[in-house]
Amino acid sequence: YKEAAKTAVIIAREEQSAGNYRNAHDVLYNMYQELVKNKIQVPWEMANNLMILHSYTLARLHVRRGDHLRGARMLLRVANNISKFPAHIIPILTSTVIECHRSGLKNSAFTYAAMLMRPEYRKDIDEKYKKKIEAIVRKPQKTEEPEKFTRCPFCSNDVPESDLYCGNCKNNLPYCIATGYHILHNDLTVCPSCKFPATRTELLKLVEDGIVCPMCVETISDSD
């Protein structure tokens, strides 16, 4: 299984480099489930790569649902790992700038807008957004909507809700498959199909809207 896990990471990396993000997500997800079923520890690299790909999936879901702040938070996580998305660097950074700007994360919008102004990127920015991105760089606003803090599920220390590490107890925090934020111990459930954790109230919102589990793409019913 260790060799199979290594192979899965390599295949997923190739798919991801080619821009086939759902395929890469599925390769890692299937191997992850295989390891869990056989009670084998999931390698950190595999779990981390799956988390980043899942954050990309959620960014698109949040934006589609009009939840621009969550979309921005997930895009920031992806943009922070932009080297893993070589096929779509400019579109992803452009989306990050746009979503951050409209969500009040002006400093983050400026940071990635400035990155897009590099000569190797600037010429390929979509004309539709070029003027807006140039304006963000020319007249920078450094304000940033403060992030909400929620309790660490392990030690109850307050942690920014999109952070997946607690500096107090030094634990990596499991993420909710519906939001991408860390889980909350007092509002916790798992997807009945894939058993990945979720914030119960947030997963129920997706179920009520007829949206499948973002992780395993299985339909969840209210009775589950």
Side-chain angles (χ1 to χ4, degrees):
Y1 278 107
K2 278 184 181 173
E3 287 309 310
K6 280 181 192 168
T7 305
V9 169
I10 292 164
I11 293 168
R13 194 182 297 136
E14 286 169 0
E15 290 282 4
Q16 191 168 345
S17 294
N20 304 324
Y21 306 126
R22 189 73 230 183
N23 290 0
H25 184 287
D26 291 348
V27 167
L28 293 178
Y29 165 76
N30 290 331
M31 193 67 230
Y32 189 110
Q33 294 296 63
E34 198 62 33
L35 293 174
V36 169
K37 192 171 82 180
N38 288 282
K39 298 183 170 52
I40 297 165
Q41 189 175 0
V42 177
W44 180 85
E45 186 185 11
M46 176 183 285
N48 191 59
N49 288 354
L50 180 58
M51 178 273 292
I52 293 164
L53 281 162
H54 194 66
S55 300
Y56 175 80
T57 301
L58 289 176
R60 297 185 63 174
L61 176 65
H62 292 327
V63 170
R64 208 163 58 236
R65 286 166 59 80
D67 193 339
H68 296 287
L69 180 58
R70 278 186 181 154
R73 293 279 180 216
M74 290 304 103
L75 282 165
L76 283 172
R77 190 182 287 164
V78 171
N80 211 23
N81 293 277
I82 199 64
S83 62
K84 295 178 186 289
F85 297 83
H88 295 97
I89 288 175
I90 293 161
I92 289 171
L93 292 182
T94 301
S95 296
T96 304
V97 171
I98 301 302
E99 293 301 323
C100 284
H101 197 262
R102 79 199 302 180
S103 304
L105 308 180
K106 303 286 174 65
N107 193 45
S108 295
F110 169 74
T111 299
Y112 287 103
M115 193 184 285
L116 279 168
M117 288 295 106
R118 290 178 189 170
E120 66 267 33
Y121 299 149
R122 190 173 190 156
K123 63 185 185 304
D124 295 320
I125 298 171
D126 189 324
E127 287 300 326
K128 200 164 57 174
Y129 302 112
K130 205 168 203 172
K131 280 194 166 57
K132 184 175 179 69
I133 290 167
E134 285 169 352
I136 289 169
V137 174
R138 260 201 319 275
K139 296 179 182 170
Q141 292 173 280
K142 299 295 182 76
T143 56
E144 191 90 356
E145 198 66 32
E147 187 166 6
K148 187 180 160 194
F149 281 69
T150 49
R151 293 281 177 87
C152 164
F154 296 108
C155 72
S156 298
N157 187 50
D158 283 341
V159 180
E161 61 185 353
S162 69
D163 279 14
L164 300 181
Y165 178 75
C166 175
N168 186 55
C169 66
K170 308 288 187 278
N171 272 308
N172 289 315
L173 309 183
Y175 56 93
C176 162
I177 54 171
T179 64
Y181 293 171
H182 64 249
I183 58 165
L184 306 172
H185 74 95
N186 59 348
D187 189 13
L188 186 59
T189 189
V190 295
C191 165
S193 296
C194 65
K195 307 299 183 209
F196 270 77
T199 300
R200 187 171 183 276
T201 48
E202 297 295 341
L203 190 61
L204 279 173
K205 284 179 197 170
L206 296 188
V207 172
E208 283 161 12
D209 289 347
I211 295 168
V212 296
C213 168
M215 180 59 79
C216 65
V217 207
E218 293 291 334
T219 303
I220 307 170
S221 68
D222 288 352
S223 57
D224 291 336

